[in-house]
Amino acid sequence: MEIEITRAEKIAETLEQLVFSGHYKDGDRLDEIKLAESFNVSRTPIREALQRLVLSGFAEQIPRRGVFVRLPGPVDLMEMFETMAEIESACGRLAASRITDQGLELLRATNLRCQTAVEKQDLEGYYAENEVFHQTIYRGTANGFLEKEALRLQNRLKPYRRTQLRFRGRVSQSMSEHLLIVEALQAGDGEAAARALRDHVAVQGEKFQQLMVSLNS
Amino acid sequence: MEIEITRAEKIAETLEQLVFSGHYKDGDRLDEIKLAESFNVSRTPIREALQRLVLSGFAEQIPRRGVFVRLPGPVDLMEMFETMAEIESACGRLAASRITDQGLELLRATNLRCQTAVEKQDLEGYYAENEVFHQTIYRGTANGFLEKEALRLQNRLKPYRRTQLRFRGRVSQSMSEHLLIVEALQAGDGEAAARALRDHVAVQGEKFQQLMVSLNS
DNA sequence: GTCAAGATTTTTGTATACAAGAATGATTAG
DNA sequence: CTAATCATTCTTGTATACAAAAATCTTGAC
């Protein structure tokens, strides 16, 4: 966990959470003065935090006008999930020939914890372990840059993935897909791992409807 | 072309160019005060520009210490090129079934201009057309998010690609690879396009040596 | 009553002032 | 002469002040 020292960073983190959690509507202006008051700081750290939001894609800045929340619409989300599927796929291909035995072991262990979380109906726990599962694959690529890019997108899509997993049958299906992925990685079959991960992450068929439904909540 | 209004944005752009062009060494501290003096502005816009550099990955910020240039080393570059290869590959796969006839036509036209640039020994022109070639493929994915991500990385790797193309035989080899890519896209063969683009961008064999050599210049 | 032009207010972008932590150097004890 | 501690200086982070542009409101003409 990174230690954050400056107020601007803490504020940026908090604002990201607020945007994530739907506290703001799309198009809302992020008023520097009001934010400064509510955070009990001056406009300076607020402005730095807003810049971070803009550069992370959560907001848009119109010069001399202000910063506005930009929540992804259905099309944006589809595009982001498709991109994520391709990136995870690439991670799988590379990890298949590079992941360490420790990595594979961690993958299996994480999968087990996923399974127990499912059995205990611990959705929150499942989210967390599922994240670790994918992050372990990113790490397995032995490509720090790709890993960071994957983490960035994973974080960006996190809230939407959560809502998706709430649908009936999704969790158990997801679990069996995980097994396929581990098998492919264990066998060192890059193409199979790439395919399995792409299918796992991609939003197609049933999942498309579910994503669209979850957008109206 | 985007219009930039605020000074901070112009300064950020200029600083990026300076870091790109090797004006700073790795680890150099970007002194706010000196930069402010040299740009004839106050520290405020400088700080905003520095933040942009940090979030783009060109520099690193250590709280209460300052901002330091972070140029990619050999390992970072290999990782970035590998990631780029995978992303371009993904673009190829998606574009194969989505690129419009206009897109294909643009691709062929751009390739022709590449060819004439080669014949005229116009390396600068070749760089530009080559960029357009790849950007046309990004556009062909019909995925705006992926397109933007690809453009980001392309921009980040631009200076290194340039040095690479200066090696004997690279340009003509690159040209024939372009033809392969266009063929695959035209045939709608996603897998072939993916493979062709990955091989085209990937740094392997001869190209690895060339990249390493070009780093010491 | 409506629309437009000008004045006023608000808000962003920039400059400057100030506070706190880090780096540097000096001074003194060993 | 070396090392450690303290003081000084410098730099960053934050607050405040100011300027310019945009938004809003008012007033007047039609």
Side-chain angles (χ1 to χ4, degrees), chain A:
Chain A
M1 193 66 84
E2 253 179 60
I3 3 156
E4 274 152 30
I5 293 184
T6 66
R7 293 166 214 194
E9 279 180 75
K10 270 185 286 189
I11 291 167
E13 195 116 330
T14 308
L15 278 181
E16 270 185 28
Q17 293 301 327
L18 282 176
V19 172
F20 264 159
S21 65
H23 184 263
Y24 295 106
K25 300 290 166 208
D26 184 64
D28 278 2
R29 189 168 69 89
L30 294 170
D31 191 309
E32 294 180 2
I33 297 174
K34 284 180 186 164
L35 286 173
E37 282 170 4
S38 72
F39 280 99
N40 271 319
V41 294
S42 78
R43 278 174 54 219
T44 311
I46 296 288
R47 282 177 63 85
E48 291 199 6
L50 288 182
Q51 244 206 309
R52 241 184 68 161
L53 280 195
V54 169
L55 293 172
S56 308
F58 297 108
E60 188 183 355
Q61 181 177 36
I62 303 176
R64 294 262 166 221
R65 288 295 200 70
V67 174
F68 301 85
V69 174
R70 274 290 167 263
L71 290 176
V75 174
D76 303 298
L77 273 180
M78 289 299 297
E79 291 182 353
M80 287 163 78
F81 269 108
E82 185 170 75
T83 303
M84 189 78 210
E86 291 295 334
I87 286 179
E88 296 245 7
S89 173
C91 287
R93 175 178 300 108
L94 296 175
S97 58
R98 296 181 190 171
I99 194 168
T100 63
D101 288 342
Q102 289 170 22
L104 272 172
E105 190 45 54
L106 179 54
L107 226 46
R108 278 188 292 262
T110 307
N111 234 0
L112 278 180
R113 281 198 296 274
C114 271
Q115 187 64 49
T116 59
V118 171
E119 286 158 8
K120 286 197 291 183
Q121 305 265 14
D122 178 11
L123 208 55
E124 209 59 40
Y126 180 80
Y127 291 145
E129 295 298 338
N130 184 51
E131 254 185 58
V132 173
F133 180 83
H134 285 270
Q135 287 168 3
T136 305
I137 296 174
Y138 308 158
R139 175 64 55 86
T141 61
N143 182 326
F145 184 80
L146 179 56
E147 186 187 352
K148 268 178 60 182
E149 292 291 305
L151 285 171
R152 220 170 37 91
L153 239 184
Q154 188 194 43
N155 184 53
R156 183 103 187 262
L157 285 173
K158 196 189 294 187
Y160 305 99
R161 215 189 293 262
R162 290 170 69 100
T163 60
Q164 260 204 291
L165 279 171
R166 296 180 48 195
F167 285 90
R168 239 170 62 79
R170 271 302 290 137
V171 169
S172 62
Q173 191 197 338
S174 185
M175 276 304 304
S176 62
E177 287 171 356
H178 276 202
L179 289 177
L180 255 175
I181 293 164
V182 174
E183 266 179 46
L185 289 174
Q186 196 157 359
D189 188 340
E191 288 310 314
R195 233 180 304 116
L197 269 159
R198 185 182 299 122
D199 292 344
H200 177 55
V201 177
V203 175
Q204 325 159 307
E206 200 67 4
K207 284 196 267 185
F208 174 76
Q209 305 293 339
Q210 295 170 352
L211 180 63
M212 289 306 120
V213 171
S214 68
L215 278 183
N216 301 334
S217 63

Side-chain angles (χ1 to χ4, degrees), chain B residues 38-74:
Chain B
S38 73
F39 279 100
N40 272 319
V41 295
S42 79
R43 277 174 55 219
T44 309
I46 296 288
R47 281 178 63 85
E48 291 199 6
L50 288 181
Q51 245 205 310
R52 240 183 72 159
L53 280 195
V54 169
L55 292 171
S56 308
F58 296 108
E60 188 183 354
Q61 180 175 37
I62 303 176
R64 294 254 168 229
R65 289 294 204 69
V67 173
F68 301 85
V69 174
R70 275 290 167 264
L71 290 177

Side-chain angles (χ1 to χ4, degrees), chain B residues 1-51:
Chain B
M1 192 67 83
E2 254 179 59
I3 4 156
E4 275 152 31
I5 294 184
T6 66
R7 293 165 214 195
E9 281 180 75
K10 270 185 286 189
I11 291 167
E13 195 116 329
T14 308
L15 277 181
E16 269 185 27
Q17 292 301 327
L18 282 176
V19 172
F20 265 160
S21 65
H23 185 261
Y24 294 105
K25 299 293 167 205
D26 184 63
D28 278 2
R29 189 169 68 89
L30 294 170
D31 192 310
E32 294 180 3
I33 299 174
K34 283 179 187 165
L35 286 172
E37 283 171 4
S38 73
F39 279 100
N40 272 319
V41 295
S42 79
R43 277 174 55 219
T44 309
I46 296 288
R47 281 178 63 85
E48 291 199 6
L50 288 181
Q51 245 205 310

Side-chain angles (χ1 to χ4, degrees), chain B residues 187-204:
Chain B
D189 188 340
E191 289 310 315
R195 232 179 306 116
L197 268 158
R198 185 182 300 121
D199 293 345
H200 177 56
V201 176
V203 175
Q204 326 160 308

